[in-house]
């Protein structure tokens, strides 16, 4: 069925929606070629099993106009979990909420669970909510997409009681988060931030919503369940992020009205 309804990260995707491609096929040559590319949704299709797929045209594909009008030509079928919705124009990209973590390592999946919950709730215009898992290169590209604020969500050992939710902001221009140990899953946000700075502009405001894990993660154990204290902290983190979004969007609105930046 063509023109089915698709919702990703709390945002409805229709013909004309802008997305960034995040293929999950691993080392497939086409997936590697498409990784991080921006594309336009041409239509949403539902298969015989009820699965939804997007037909997209890659922005810088020189062959995108090959084929009859309305035909496939140079088009790609992608699953909903392989795209990151983008605001319709760069000026509208206000806040990126990035979930980080490995769902196979217990409490390390905290950030992923938080953004999953957020994606089920209404998302304000200009906000992108994305599960990056352990895909550091994807996060690096996203930090260069013109957002004014990035909120990273991750489990971080900071010496607090398990389940404690903290808000951490690095010093302007700094790449660390106050010594928070957040690299148990192999995706250290501080390292990704350094790479992103070397690749170009990054959001002027970057925040980390961190949760103290119950035990050390990434020690080779496999566990897809969050511990009780961390599971209970997911709702608190969701509410904190929603308050942050309200504050950051209001800050952005004031800056636009005054014609300058708001500290």
């Amino acid at each position: 069925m063509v023109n089915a309804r698709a919702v990703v990260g709390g945002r409805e995707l229709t013909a004309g929606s802008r997305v960034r491609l995040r293929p999950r096929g691993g080392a497939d040559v086409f997936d590697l070629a498409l990784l991080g590319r921006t594309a336009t949704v041409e239509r949403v299709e539902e298969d015989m099993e009820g699965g939804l797929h997007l037909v997209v045209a890659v922005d810088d594909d020189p062959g995108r106009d090959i084929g009859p009008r309305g035909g496939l030509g140079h088009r790609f079928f992608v699953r909903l979990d392989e795209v990151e919705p983008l605001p319709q124009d760069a000026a509208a990209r206000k806040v990126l909420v990035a979930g980080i973590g490995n769902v196979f390592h217990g409490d390390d999946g905290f950030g992923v669970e938080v953004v999953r919950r957020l994606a089920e709730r209404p998302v304000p215009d200009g906000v992108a909510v994305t599960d990056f898992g352990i895909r550091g290169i994807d996060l690096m590209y996203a930090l260069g997409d013109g957002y004014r604020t990035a909120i990273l969500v991750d489990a971080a050992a900071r010496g607090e009681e398990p389940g404690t939710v903290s808000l951490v902001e690095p010093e302007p221009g700094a790449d660390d988060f106050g010594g928070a140990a957040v690299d148990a899953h192999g995706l250290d946000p501080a390292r990704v931030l350094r790479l992103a700075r070397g690749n170009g502009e990054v959001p002027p405001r970057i925040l980390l919503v961190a949760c103290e894990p119950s035990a050390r993660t990434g020690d080779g154990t496999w566990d897809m369940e969050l511990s009780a204290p961390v599971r209970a902290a997911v709702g608190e983190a969701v509410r904190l992020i929603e308050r942050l979004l309200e504050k950051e969007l209001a800050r952005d609105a004031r800056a636009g009205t005054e014609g300058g930046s708001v500290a």
Side-chain angles (χ1 to χ4, degrees):
M1 179 176 69
V2 180
N3 296 327
R5 182 173 182 269
V7 177
V8 177
R11 193 174 301 279
E12 184 172 3
L13 298 181
T14 59
S17 295
R18 306 273 295 114
V19 297
R20 184 173 293 280
L21 302 180
R22 310 292 189 192
R24 296 175 177 264
D28 181 273
V29 64
F30 284 106
D31 289 340
L32 293 175
L34 294 175
L35 179 63
R37 308 279 283 279
T38 57
T40 301
V41 176
E42 300 247 326
R43 59 182 182 269
V44 182
E45 295 193 356
E46 182 177 348
D47 60 29
M48 297 293 290
E49 288 73 37
L52 294 178
H53 303 269
L54 304 176
V55 178
V56 303
V58 177
D59 290 343
D60 57 355
D61 180 1
R64 63 179 294 168
D65 294 324
I66 293 177
R69 182 174 179 83
L72 281 178
H74 273 220
R75 302 297 186 267
F76 298 90
F77 285 87
V78 295
R79 301 191 310 271
L80 300 189
D81 64 349
E82 295 183 310
V83 300
E84 171 197 341
L86 294 176
Q88 288 300 98
D89 57 77
R93 298 177 192 171
K94 297 180 176 67
V95 184
L96 171 68
V97 181
I100 301 170
N102 190 331
V103 297
F104 296 106
H105 285 169
D107 288 348
D108 197 47
F110 169 77
V112 174
E113 178 60 19
V114 170
V115 297
R116 186 190 70 78
R117 296 265 193 99
L118 277 169
E120 295 174 347
R121 302 160 75 95
V123 177
D125 290 339
V127 175
V129 177
T130 305
D131 164 18
F132 286 94
I134 57 174
R135 294 172 290 124
I137 297 300
D138 284 4
L139 178 56
M140 182 193 76
Y141 280 126
L143 289 173
D145 273 345
Y147 292 98
R148 297 161 201 174
T149 302
I151 302 174
L152 311 182
V153 192
D154 200 1
R158 307 185 69 235
E160 307 283 352
E161 287 294 317
T164 300
V165 175
S166 304
L167 177 62
V168 185
E169 182 174 7
E171 293 295 324
D175 299 327
D176 66 86
F177 293 90
V182 290
D183 61 348
H185 39 61
L187 196 174
D188 176 2
R191 180 170 180 268
V192 172
L193 182 53
R194 287 193 295 272
L195 291 173
R197 289 191 195 281
N199 195 51
E201 295 293 324
V202 299
R205 187 166 169 82
I206 299 178
L207 306 172
L208 171 66
V209 173
C211 180
E212 185 77 25
S214 290
R216 186 168 65 89
T217 57
D219 58 0
T221 61
W222 294 82
D223 185 0
M224 295 185 65
E225 296 290 334
L226 298 177
S227 66
V230 172
R231 185 167 59 251
V234 170
E236 178 185 352
V238 168
R239 292 188 292 273
L240 171 59
I241 292 169
E242 289 181 330
R243 293 195 299 271
L244 289 172
L245 290 177
E246 183 178 354
K247 179 179 178 181
E248 293 303 313
L249 293 174
R251 177 198 303 269
D252 190 78
R254 292 197 302 273
T257 301
E258 297 167 5
S261 62
V262 176

